[in-house]
Amino acid sequence: MKRVGILISGRGSNMVALLKAMERGEVPARCALVLSNVPGAPGLASAAERGVPTAVVDHKLSATREEHDAKVIARLREAGAEIVCLAGYMRLLSPLFVRAFPDRILNIHPALLPAFPGLHVQRKAIEHGARFSGCTVHIVDEECDHGPILLQAVVPVMPGDTEESLSARILRYEHRTYPAALRLMCEEKVVIEERRARLLLSCEEYTQLVSALMDRGD
Ligand code: GAR
């Protein structure tokens, strides 16, 4: 069983999806800590309700990004976290942080990287006229929204979509893609080869996984 730390800044619906997958035994891990940089983030209460230890490290109380990150690293280490999941954690990580957990930090991004990195990416996909967007789970490296891709799910952009409607459609796919990616990490089925992540899955296993992610469920 791997020990996972989850970092959030807000609602925490991806965090809850990860916790539920661990509770159901679909991901061989337990959550050692949910940490937020925002005091009162709604996700903290959701984690506490599920009996998971929580912590707050308010970034406003640190003078620099490195000072804040050093406090977060210390809390994660104390909790024994081996893998770190960013789940709506709206802070850029310093190189100090990335190097503290090399190839062990995952992020979920609500677009198909490398298209639309950054913020408000659902709105950017609509404004750009993209027909499809989706979500990406990737390993965090020292560049923003850049590291090796673990899994993606493709989601159509519908005529008349607003930022809200597209975000809600993509979020449903995020909730299944993130647990599937964490499972691959926990089962040590990911090999990082420079900019790419190789998955140790047979063709059949990979096809099954991709079809499960793409299942519209309606
Ligand atoms: C999710 O859509 C996640 O992909 C996005 O924030 C939302 C958090 O929702 N993350 C980013 O944009 C990171 N750059 P949640 O708090 O309900 O999981």
Side-chain angles (χ1 to χ4, degrees), residues 8-15 87-90 107-110 118-122 135 145 167 170-171 174-175:
I8 62 169
S9 297
R11 176 179 58 185
S13 71
N14 275 292
M15 171 212 70
Y89 184 66
M90 305 313 259
N107 181 43
I108 185 147
H109 181 76
L119 295 175
H120 298 292
V121 295
Q122 299 94 335
C135 61
D145 298 329
S167 300
I170 292 173
L171 194 65
E174 293 185 41
H175 293 165

Side-chain angles (χ1 to χ4, degrees), residues 37-39 56-64 67-68 71 91:
N37 64 308
V38 178
V56 174
V57 178
D58 184 348
H59 63 276
K60 293 194 182 126
L61 302 180
S62 293
T64 62
E67 184 185 326
H68 172 73
K71 292 179 194 168
R91 301 265 319 155

Side-chain angles (χ1 to χ4, degrees), residues 112 115-116 120-134 155-163 166:
L112 290 176
F116 307 117
H120 298 292
V121 295
Q122 299 94 335
R123 188 172 77 209
K124 286 179 190 160
I126 294 169
E127 284 172 359
H128 197 89
R131 296 295 179 206
F132 290 93
S133 189
V155 179
V157 180
M158 301 301 283
D161 253 341
T162 60
E163 184 174 1
L166 180 59

Side-chain angles (χ1 to χ4, degrees), residues 9-196:
S9 297
R11 176 179 58 185
S13 71
N14 275 292
M15 171 212 70
V16 170
L18 293 173
L19 295 182
K20 284 185 177 167
M22 292 185 232
E23 284 165 15
R24 288 195 293 258
E26 291 164 12
V27 174
R30 75 175 180 79
C31 183
L33 184 68
V34 168
L35 183 149
S36 175
N37 64 308
V38 178
L44 287 168
S46 316
E49 273 167 27
R50 308 191 89 84
V52 173
T54 61
V56 174
V57 178
D58 184 348
H59 63 276
K60 293 194 182 126
L61 302 180
S62 293
T64 62
R65 191 175 297 285
E66 286 71 23
E67 184 185 326
H68 172 73
D69 283 358
K71 292 179 194 168
V72 175
I73 293 165
R75 297 304 288 265
L76 288 166
R77 290 235 162 97
E78 256 169 54
E82 297 157 282
I83 295 174
V84 179
C85 292
L86 310 183
Y89 184 66
M90 305 313 259
R91 301 265 319 155
L92 292 174
L93 302 195
S94 62
L96 176 83
F97 198 151
V98 176
R99 288 171 201 166
F101 295 92
D103 293 338
R104 290 277 161 214
I105 307 173
L106 276 57
N107 181 43
I108 185 147
H109 181 76
L112 290 176
L113 292 173
F116 307 117
L119 295 175
H120 298 292
V121 295
Q122 299 94 335
R123 188 172 77 209
K124 286 179 190 160
I126 294 169
E127 284 172 359
H128 197 89
R131 296 295 179 206
F132 290 93
S133 189
C135 61
T136 303
V137 180
H138 67 96
I139 302 279
V140 173
D141 67 8
E142 292 183 24
E143 285 178 57
C144 180
D145 298 329
H146 174 269
I149 293 168
L150 292 177
L151 288 175
Q152 294 182 303
V154 179
V155 179
V157 180
M158 301 301 283
D161 253 341
T162 60
E163 184 174 1
E164 291 69 33
S165 64
L166 180 59
S167 300
R169 190 176 311 114
I170 292 173
L171 194 65
R172 287 178 44 210
Y173 288 80
E174 293 185 41
H175 293 165
R176 61 175 92 149
T177 308
Y178 212 169
L182 179 59
R183 176 177 177 173
L184 291 171
M185 285 294 288
C186 292
E187 290 179 342
E188 315 247 0
K189 290 191 171 152
V190 179
V191 181
I192 306 298
E193 292 172 343
E194 297 187 13
R195 104 121 277 123
R196 303 204 307 181

